[in-house]
């Protein structure tokens, strides 16, 4: 079939394709040149970066190789190691100390528990068997005097306490008024129940020693003035002569002990400006434990020092109504008490002012009333 394209258009088409081929060749050559240049630049940049890194490594290594730098690095390593070692040692030391403290606390608790158990067992034995043969508290004063190997029949516990107060306690405020430390009193009772000749431990508070004297007198089954002579002594409180004659009817044990106690009260009253206890104040505190009527024992001591639990008492002994021992007075039922407050007298029992006047008279006129007695311990 003959071509319908004119020669003119054929020339134009041939020219177009010819020029397109030339342009494509030029573009290919231009692209190749560009890629080559980029590759060359990249290689150059990589080489430059590698050179810089190498230079930095070399410079740092050279710096580390210098003696001063090497020593500084070594010192830092040594310091870090020392610090780590110190922290470890502190940790071990702290742990060891905590273990030691914990062990000490366990041992302390075990010791306290063992001591309390021993005390409880001792008390139970006393409640079951009655008063032990060596006890002082709750024992008739005549029995105590017979046990002693002394020239004077005064209970040695009173002599020891009196000597202690004369030497180091007369200036102490509120002697025979403050109740003392309950735990200390309990320890002193145990001490003298085991050894009637024991000395008062050095450093004991004089207030506790004075309180111990009161508790001993309160524990006696019968007052020093005796129940028999109560009315006669009370009636003679206005006459030194009558009082002196009535007191001569007391047994030697009661008479000499009463003389001893009132002589001690006299010495305390002579320091009243310091200890705040004059003869009247002392008489108010001491009369209830020196002189009482039948059925009027100083029960407020028993009520103040808490009673033992009724369940334990019912299982062990069946005490007669109104009877108690020094252990009952000092029994601990867990209630806290104020060791510095005075012993309460307002327990519902009428105050025996007659007895107070008697004790005041015996204190203030001691030397006139006890003229025929042996000399007391203190001049």
């Amino acid at each position: 079939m003959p071509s319908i394209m004119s020669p003119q258009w054929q020339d134009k088409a041939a020219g177009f394709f010819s020029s397109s081929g030339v342009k494509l060749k030029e573009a290919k050559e231009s692209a190749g040149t560009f890629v080559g240049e980029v590759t060359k630049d990249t290689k150059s940049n990589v080489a430059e970066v590698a050179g810089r890194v190498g230079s930095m490594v070399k410079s740092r290594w050279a710096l580390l190789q210098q003696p001063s730098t090497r020593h500084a690095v070594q010192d830092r390593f040594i310091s870090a190691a020392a610090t780590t070692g110190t922290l470890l040692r502190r940790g071990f030391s702290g742990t060891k100390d905590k273990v030691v403290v914990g062990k000490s606390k366990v041992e302390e608790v075990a010791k306290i528990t063992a001591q309390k158990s021993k005390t409880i067992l001792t008390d139970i034995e006393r409640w079951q068997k009655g008063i032990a043969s060596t006890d002082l508290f709750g024992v008739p004063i005549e029995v105590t005097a017979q046990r002693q190997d002394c020239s004077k029949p005064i209970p040695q516990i009173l002599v020891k306490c009196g000597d202690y107060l004369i030497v180091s306690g007369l200036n102490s405020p509120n002697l025979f008024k403050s109740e003392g430390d309950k735990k200390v009193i309990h320890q002193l009772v145990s001490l003298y129940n085991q050894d009637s000749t024991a000395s008062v431990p050095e450093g004991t508070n004089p207030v506790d020693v004075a309180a111990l004297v009161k508790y001993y007198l309160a524990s006696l089954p019968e007052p020093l003035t005796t129940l028999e002579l109560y009315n006669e002594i009370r009636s003679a409180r206005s006459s030194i002569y009558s009082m002196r004659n009535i007191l001569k009817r007391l047994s030697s044990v009661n008479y000499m002990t009463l003389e001893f106690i009132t002589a001690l009260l006299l010495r305390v009253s002579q320091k009243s400006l310091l200890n705040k206890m004059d003869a009247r104040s002392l008489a108010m505190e001491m009369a209830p434990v020196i002189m009482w009527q039948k059925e009027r024992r100083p029960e407020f001591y028993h009520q103040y020092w808490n009673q033992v639990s009724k369940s334990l008492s019912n299982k062990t002994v069946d005490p007669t109504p109104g009877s108690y021992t020094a252990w009952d007075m000092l029994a601990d039922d867990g209630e806290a008490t104020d060791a510095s407050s005075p012993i309460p007298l307002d327990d519902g029992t009428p105050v025996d002012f007659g007895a107070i006047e008697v004790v005041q008279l015996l204190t203030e006129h001691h030397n006139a009333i006890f003229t025929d007695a042996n000399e007391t311990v203190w001049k």
Side-chain angles (χ1 to χ4, degrees), residues 307-356:
Q307 301 180 29
V308 296
S309 62
K310 295 181 180 181
S311 59
L312 179 59
S313 299
N314 292 336
K315 292 180 181 179
T316 54
V317 293
D318 185 15
T320 58
S323 66
Y324 61 94
T325 68
W327 293 100
D328 295 328
M329 291 191 294
L330 296 171
D332 186 0
D333 68 354
E335 295 183 5
T337 58
D338 181 1
S340 62
S341 61
I343 298 174
L345 291 176
D346 187 12
D347 61 345
T349 303
V351 178
D352 191 343
F353 290 103
I356 293 174

Side-chain angles (χ1 to χ4, degrees), residues 28-333:
K28 179 178 179 181
E29 291 177 354
S30 176
T33 302
F34 177 77
V35 170
E37 290 179 354
V38 170
T39 302
K40 183 178 179 181
D41 290 341
T42 301
K43 289 181 179 180
S44 177
N45 291 336
V46 170
E48 183 179 357
V49 171
R52 290 181 179 179
V53 172
S55 298
M56 291 178 62
V57 171
K58 288 180 180 180
S59 63
R60 294 295 176 89
W61 180 253
L63 182 63
L64 290 174
Q65 293 300 313
Q66 295 179 4
S68 59
T69 306
R70 186 167 61 251
H71 292 161
V73 173
Q74 291 176 351
D75 290 342
R76 289 187 179 181
F77 277 117
I78 293 173
S79 177
T83 302
T84 304
T86 301
L87 293 176
L88 290 175
R89 283 195 297 272
R90 287 180 181 176
F92 285 125
S93 178
T95 303
K96 183 178 179 181
D97 291 341
K98 289 181 180 180
V99 171
V100 172
V101 171
K103 182 180 179 181
S104 299
K105 289 184 178 180
V106 170
E107 291 177 350
E108 181 179 355
V109 171
K111 183 178 180 181
I112 294 174
T113 303
Q115 183 64 34
K116 192 167 185 65
S117 299
K118 182 179 179 180
T119 302
I120 293 174
L121 292 176
T122 302
D123 289 348
I124 291 175
E125 290 177 358
R126 290 177 184 274
W127 296 329
Q128 289 176 336
K129 299 178 182 179
I131 297 174
S133 60
T134 59
D135 279 357
L136 287 178
F137 289 77
V139 177
I141 193 170
E142 296 84 359
V143 175
T144 299
Q146 291 174 0
R147 293 174 182 170
Q148 297 179 167
D149 185 16
C150 300
S151 58
K152 293 184 178 181
I154 305 170
Q156 285 300 296
I157 182 175
L158 297 178
V159 175
K160 299 289 186 181
C161 291
D163 289 344
Y164 188 90
L165 292 175
I166 292 297
V167 172
S168 59
L170 291 181
N171 296 337
S172 300
N174 298 321
L175 282 177
F176 296 104
K177 183 176 182 180
S178 295
E179 67 188 31
D181 189 316
K182 183 177 179 180
K183 292 183 179 180
V184 173
I185 300 300
H186 194 208
Q187 293 171 356
L188 291 174
V189 169
S190 299
L191 171 65
Y192 282 103
N193 273 334
Q194 296 171 8
D195 182 5
S196 61
T197 63
S199 298
V200 178
E202 184 178 355
T204 303
N205 190 333
V207 169
D208 297 330
V209 177
L212 182 67
V213 172
K214 293 180 69 173
Y215 303 142
Y216 172 74
L217 295 176
S219 75
L220 296 176
E222 190 175 7
L224 288 180
T225 55
T226 72
L227 298 174
E228 180 183 359
L229 295 179
Y230 172 83
N231 290 326
E232 294 183 60
I233 292 175
R234 192 174 187 276
S235 299
R237 65 185 183 276
S238 60
S239 171
I240 294 176
Y241 176 79
S242 299
M243 181 67 69
R244 183 168 59 231
N245 290 334
I246 294 173
L247 293 181
K248 289 180 180 179
R249 294 162 55 186
L250 293 172
S251 67
S252 60
V253 175
N254 289 64
Y255 186 89
M256 295 186 68
T257 302
L258 182 61
E259 178 201 11
F260 184 90
I261 291 297
T262 51
L264 177 60
L265 297 181
L266 175 61
R267 292 296 300 271
V268 173
S269 68
Q270 292 171 345
K271 297 287 186 178
S272 61
L273 291 178
L274 297 174
N275 58 40
K276 312 301 181 184
M277 298 298 292
D278 57 17
R280 179 67 176 182
S281 300
L282 290 168
M284 292 182 65
E285 299 299 328
M286 296 299 291
V289 300
I290 291 177
M291 182 178 177
W292 68 77
Q293 288 178 291
K294 190 176 182 179
E295 308 299 337
R296 288 284 186 89
R297 290 192 62 176
E299 292 291 339
F300 61 85
Y301 285 93
H302 182 41
Q303 294 171 2
Y304 184 77
W305 294 115
N306 305 300
Q307 301 180 29
V308 296
S309 62
K310 295 181 180 181
S311 59
L312 179 59
S313 299
N314 292 336
K315 292 180 181 179
T316 54
V317 293
D318 185 15
T320 58
S323 66
Y324 61 94
T325 68
W327 293 100
D328 295 328
M329 291 191 294
L330 296 171
D332 186 0
D333 68 354

